[in-house]
Amino acid sequence: MKRLMATRRRVFVLGAVTALAIVVAAFFGYSAIAAPSQSYTGCLKAGQLTGIVIDGAGQTPTCPKPGVLISWSQTGPPGQTGATGATGPNGNNGATGATGPTGPNGNDGANGATGATGETGPQGDTGPPGTNAATQVVGRVNFDGSINAGTGFTVTHPATGEYDIHFPLTTFSFPVNMQVTAVSGLATPYTALQQTGTELIAKVFMTFNNAAFDSNFQFLATQD
């Protein structure tokens, strides 16, 4: 029986609190709009709410049984955190920052590959004639008057021990320096020069024991 009475009392209080909410909404509607943060305390008895104190302004009312002292506020408890909103649009680009200081010089790069060979350039103009350029002709003559080596001259052998070396005047003009050497080392040479209208002739005479002697020889003819 006691358990049944306690259950009924709880139901009564719960109903009274619900009725209280309706009464407070009716009598204090203006306060809810004007001051949503206010709190209230009052005595609930037989469905009637008495001794209401707002924000503790006044003495807390006495509430003899079977009354119940209750408190409430205009503002309810905080709600749950809402869902994350959609991403907003991108903001405008910021202003260009100031130019930073110049960095240090970098290391030298590696040597590049060798480039392709360029085309041959055009031939240059002929330079002026050189100065003090000596003209020389070197030759080697066999004992019978045939040429063994050398160019730019011809040889005749008119007699024993006599050889005529012919140079065109485009190569030499009088006088010419002649150096003649007998290849065998036995003969003794000497020379004489003769110029005609078309050529310069160096006459070479070879002797052995004061007699004409055919011998191989070589010569060097130069002209400054």
Side-chain angles (χ1 to χ4, degrees):
M1 179 64 71
K2 291 182 180 180
R3 186 176 299 174
L4 179 59
M5 292 178 64
T7 301
R8 290 178 178 176
R9 181 175 298 175
R10 290 174 185 170
V11 172
F12 171 76
V13 172
L14 180 59
V17 171
T18 302
L20 169 65
I22 297 172
V23 172
V24 169
F27 285 96
F28 297 96
Y30 176 78
S31 297
I33 298 174
S37 62
Q38 292 178 342
S39 62
Y40 304 88
T41 303
C43 183
L44 179 64
K45 183 177 180 181
Q48 299 293 322
L49 189 60
T50 60
I52 297 173
V53 177
I54 301 175
D55 282 341
Q59 186 177 1
T60 302
T62 58
C63 192
K65 295 182 178 181
V68 178
L69 187 65
I70 62 174
S71 297
W72 69 95
S73 65
Q74 291 286 346
T75 303
Q80 296 180 353
T81 302
T84 302
T87 302
N90 293 332
N92 297 328
N93 293 333
T96 302
T99 302
T102 302
N105 294 331
N107 297 327
D108 293 337
N111 293 332
T114 301
T117 302
E119 297 180 357
T120 303
Q123 182 175 352
D125 298 333
T126 302
T131 57
N132 299 325
T135 301
Q136 68 178 19
V137 175
V138 178
R140 186 182 181 96
V141 180
N142 297 320
F143 72 94
D144 60 357
S146 61
I147 296 175
N148 182 274
T151 60
F153 63 95
T154 59
V155 178
T156 58
H157 184 33
T160 301
E162 183 179 344
Y163 303 89
D164 293 342
I165 304 174
H166 303 263
F167 302 100
L169 293 180
T170 56
T171 303
F172 290 124
S173 60
F174 190 87
V176 172
N177 298 320
M178 289 291 296
Q179 297 178 15
V180 181
T181 304
V183 176
S184 64
L186 298 176
T188 301
Y190 66 94
T191 60
L193 298 176
Q194 177 183 352
Q195 181 172 333
T196 68
T198 59
E199 62 182 359
L200 179 69
I201 302 172
K203 301 182 72 69
V204 178
F205 300 94
M206 305 293 290
T207 62
F208 179 69
N209 291 331
N210 294 323
F213 181 77
D214 286 343
S215 173
N216 300 336
F217 65 91
Q218 60 189 15
F219 69 89
L220 170 64
T222 60
Q223 186 173 61
D224 296 334

